[in-house]
Amino acid sequence: MFYFSATAWFCGIFAWHRHILDKPTEPKMKFSKTIVFFSAVIFFSYSLSSCRKEGGSPPGTPAPVYDSSETAKVVTISEKEHRIFIRPKVGDTYRYHIFQHSVSTENGSAPDQPPMHQSASADNSIYIRETVRAIRADSSVDMTVKFDSVSVKLTQDTMKIELSSSRTADRNDPRFATFAAFLGEDIGIIITKFGDIKEVYGTSNIITKILKPYPDSIKIKQGEAIKNQINARIGQYILETLMHYPDVPLAKDSTQRTEYEENIPIAASVTFPMQVTIKQILTGFEERGDKTLAAFSTSSVARPVRSVIEEGPVKATLSNCTMSTKEEIRVEDASGMLVYRNVFEDKIYTLTLESAQAVGKSITTEENAKSNTKVELLK
């Protein structure tokens, strides 16, 4: 197949701005952005989980803590050394709803093939429960995480898939296997007071369930890689419910800014060096109910450092490339726990591949993708 789809990749790559604005003072767990999946089951689950939207709520689901339609009371905090970090109490429980919607269109052309047009949309709704198990001597937080329910929906041209953990038949569907394995399990997460993940543990039951249908040869050869992959995927979900804090005082209009260069994949095995600029501002404090919230606004932009990459006989040219993210966040000032996150992501590009062995012939892919992620703490 000549065409390269980046739909599943798009929704995850903008995780830059969430947790790298400041170098943490304590080690954090590393997650690879490029994951090689060993089976179609896990690949399917990842494609769905990368693009999520608000879905049907389980019966009795409480309302969100944050209501953007309500007018908040502005709060002034004059403390010069005011700091925000993760500091919940043992026994506290936080239930989050993560939902996301993405749409993408892709057009392409290749020698001796008809023009290609593909459109896709993906929707997903996940309910996660986090309970504080212990506060360690180094101030890191040990939490139990449980996936309460999941629903996923994928539409790509004429293909439509809709699965939900509320239906027994769907839970037994092989395409839903990874999510089904997550459900109801007590997963351990250790996070630093700055909001970085140090460790994911207690996933052996999940790994066993996922590997059950596969022969021993796969389990022996791929077991450790699959464990790391699943732990990384769980970690990415948890990161959606966390805020990373710098180890500096934070007051109204405090601004954190970082710039760096990174090779970012555009299509299958095609990466381009990008200049990434991230800016985050604490826009102020507000009072809602009995809580004081800190409001953050974040923007991220990636621009190609080079538009042409040549490796051997193949030349890749990137044009019309726009990659940006805008995010609004509310966190509880007292505990540092996330209350609300709303993220909008956009990506547009044109990729042209040429080969010296086929002069005058090229493969072109144009993609336009948008995503909206919302994370809400429930009452």
Side-chain angles (χ1 to χ4, degrees), residues 23-283:
K23 195 172 186 178
T25 56
E26 301 177 56
K28 64 178 178 179
M29 185 172 180
K30 302 293 184 181
F31 296 124
S32 171
K33 290 177 181 172
T34 304
I35 301 175
V36 179
F37 296 96
F38 82 107
S39 72
V41 171
I42 293 183
F43 175 80
F44 176 83
S45 297
Y46 174 72
S47 299
L48 290 173
S49 67
S50 295
C51 300
R52 303 183 288 275
K53 184 193 175 184
E54 183 173 13
S57 303
T61 300
V65 169
Y66 180 82
D67 184 349
S68 58
S69 66
E70 294 181 353
T71 302
K73 177 183 176 182
V74 176
V75 176
T76 300
I77 294 182
S78 57
E79 180 186 359
K80 292 183 178 180
E81 289 296 316
H82 185 76
R83 293 171 185 259
I84 308 175
F85 52 88
I86 307 292
R87 48 182 173 184
K89 298 176 182 178
V90 174
D92 284 353
T93 295
Y94 298 85
R95 192 180 184 196
Y96 290 99
H97 185 197
I98 303 172
F99 48 93
Q100 196 171 58
H101 172 66
S102 77
V103 294
S104 69
T105 57
E106 190 173 353
N107 297 299
S109 62
D112 305 318
Q113 292 191 25
M116 184 273 288
H117 174 77
Q118 186 178 83
S119 61
S121 66
D123 306 85
N124 190 337
S125 173
I126 300 176
Y127 286 85
I128 295 179
R129 189 186 307 269
E130 301 173 358
T131 302
V132 180
R133 179 183 295 168
I135 307 297
R136 298 192 168 190
D138 62 355
S139 297
S140 60
V141 180
D142 189 347
M143 297 195 303
T144 297
V145 175
K146 182 175 290 187
F147 287 76
D148 288 337
S149 67
V150 179
S151 63
V152 294
K153 181 179 179 181
L154 175 65
T155 302
Q156 184 170 311
D157 296 328
T158 59
M159 180 188 70
K160 294 184 179 181
I161 298 171
E162 187 169 356
L163 300 166
S164 172
S165 61
S166 64
R167 295 187 288 266
T168 302
D170 290 357
R171 292 198 300 271
N172 294 326
D173 191 312
R175 298 168 300 177
F176 200 65
T178 301
F179 280 135
F182 289 171
L183 292 168
E185 293 289 340
D186 287 335
I187 302 165
I189 302 284
I190 298 176
I191 62 174
T192 71
K193 66 180 182 179
F194 300 108
D196 300 304
I197 295 180
K198 294 178 65 175
E199 183 181 349
V200 177
Y201 66 95
T203 58
S204 58
N205 286 345
I206 295 174
I207 306 303
T208 299
K209 286 189 283 188
I210 291 174
L211 290 178
K212 185 178 179 180
Y214 297 92
D216 290 341
S217 59
I218 292 291
K219 296 175 184 178
I220 294 172
K221 292 180 181 179
Q222 303 288 345
E224 190 62 28
I226 294 168
K227 175 183 176 181
N228 293 336
Q229 170 189 313
I230 294 301
N231 285 0
R233 173 51 45 195
I234 292 170
Q236 290 292 347
Y237 287 127
I238 304 308
L239 285 179
E240 296 281 8
T241 70
L242 296 175
M243 174 70 176
H244 172 75
Y245 300 105
D247 189 15
V248 297
L250 291 173
K252 185 180 183 303
D253 298 326
S254 292
T255 301
Q256 306 296 316
R257 183 185 178 93
T258 186
E259 294 185 345
Y260 64 96
E261 186 175 313
E262 181 175 2
N263 290 325
I264 294 179
I266 296 299
S269 71
V270 180
T271 64
F272 279 82
M274 299 274 186
Q275 182 69 30
V276 180
T277 301
I278 306 169
K279 182 179 180 181
Q280 186 170 82
I281 303 173
L282 197 170
T283 56

Side-chain angles (χ1 to χ4, degrees), residues 277-303:
T277 301
I278 306 169
K279 182 179 180 181
Q280 186 170 82
I281 303 173
L282 197 170
T283 56
F285 297 87
E286 58 189 39
E287 185 177 298
R288 291 179 179 270
D290 60 348
K291 298 181 184 297
T292 297
L293 307 183
F296 291 87
S297 177
T298 304
S299 61
S300 307
V301 177
R303 298 181 176 87

